[in-house]
């Protein structure tokens, strides 16, 4: 059986972005519940799941973009200023992610530390807006025929 040709980094990123939506929605809901009640056990469990998603998927995704996608996008004519802005946003997102580290704590914690719900909410909002910028970049490059 013939193997499929490898997907381009651009296709891989677009595919990942589409699969992030349910996890981001769940993270936003968890942040809202935690903001209402930091002792809500279900919200705490959901926030820990959101933190796992960020640690296992979102942060490595950003590293991949910086190592592979952004250099290739610049080779294909993406504005250096836009790539710089996207990289700065990654740095800010990593800072917000650091504020979520208390979610690594013991599962028996009575409540999540103050500020974690706000950091989670901000991460989701900013990550979602960031993904939209990247999608615009990919669409612009595709229209210019730079992805083929």
């Amino acid at each position: 059986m013939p193997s499929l040709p490898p997907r381009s980094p651009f296709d891989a990123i677009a595919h990942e972005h589409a699969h992030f939506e349910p996890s981001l929605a769940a993270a936003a809901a968890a942040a809202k519940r935690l903001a209402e009640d930091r002792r809500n056990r279900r919200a705490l469990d959901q926030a820990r799941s959101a933190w796992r998603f960020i640690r296992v998927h979102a942060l490595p995704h950003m590293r991949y973009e910086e190592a592979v996608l952004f250099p290739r996008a610049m080779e294909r004519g993406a504005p250096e200023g836009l790539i710089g802005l996207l990289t700065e946003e990654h740095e800010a997102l990593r800072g917000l992610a650091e504020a979520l580290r208390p979610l690594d704590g013991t599962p028996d914690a009575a409540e999540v530390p103050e500020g974690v719900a706000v950091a989670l909410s901000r991460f989701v909002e900013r990550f979602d807006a960031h993904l939209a910028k990247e999608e615009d970049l990919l669409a612009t490059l595709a229209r210019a025929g730079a992805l083929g």
Side-chain angles (χ1 to χ4, degrees):
M1 174 179 234
S3 63
L4 295 173
R7 291 187 331 195
S8 79
F10 301 104
D11 291 339
I13 292 298
H15 179 77
E16 282 189 15
H17 285 185
H19 283 84
F20 285 170
E21 290 176 25
S23 296
L24 290 173
K32 182 178 180 194
R33 284 189 200 100
L34 277 180
E36 293 167 356
D37 179 7
R38 292 186 358 231
R39 295 176 187 201
N40 180 322
R41 186 72 183 166
R42 182 170 178 204
L44 182 55
D45 290 343
Q46 290 171 333
R48 285 194 175 106
S49 292
W51 169 232
R52 275 190 299 281
F53 160 76
I54 290 167
R55 218 177 45 239
V56 172
H57 298 286
L59 295 175
H61 174 86
M62 290 187 288
R63 285 190 296 272
Y64 176 80
E65 288 176 338
E66 291 168 359
V68 178
L69 181 75
F70 292 171
R72 288 196 184 174
M74 286 183 56
E75 289 171 3
R76 288 166 171 79
E80 187 175 338
L82 175 59
I83 299 300
L85 173 66
L86 293 172
T87 302
E88 288 173 14
E89 288 179 357
H90 282 180
E91 292 169 10
L93 286 162
R94 282 190 280 270
L96 287 170
E98 279 300 312
L100 301 174
R101 285 208 182 273
L103 291 170
D104 280 335
T106 64
D108 299 331
E111 67 183 50
V112 69
E114 193 170 340
V116 169
V118 171
L120 180 56
S121 180
R122 285 185 182 155
F123 183 95
V124 170
E125 289 170 10
R126 291 181 184 176
F127 192 66
D128 194 43
H130 176 80
L131 294 178
K133 287 178 192 166
E134 290 176 348
E135 291 294 325
D136 286 346
L137 169 64
L138 293 175
T140 299
L141 291 173
R143 281 191 302 274
L147 299 184

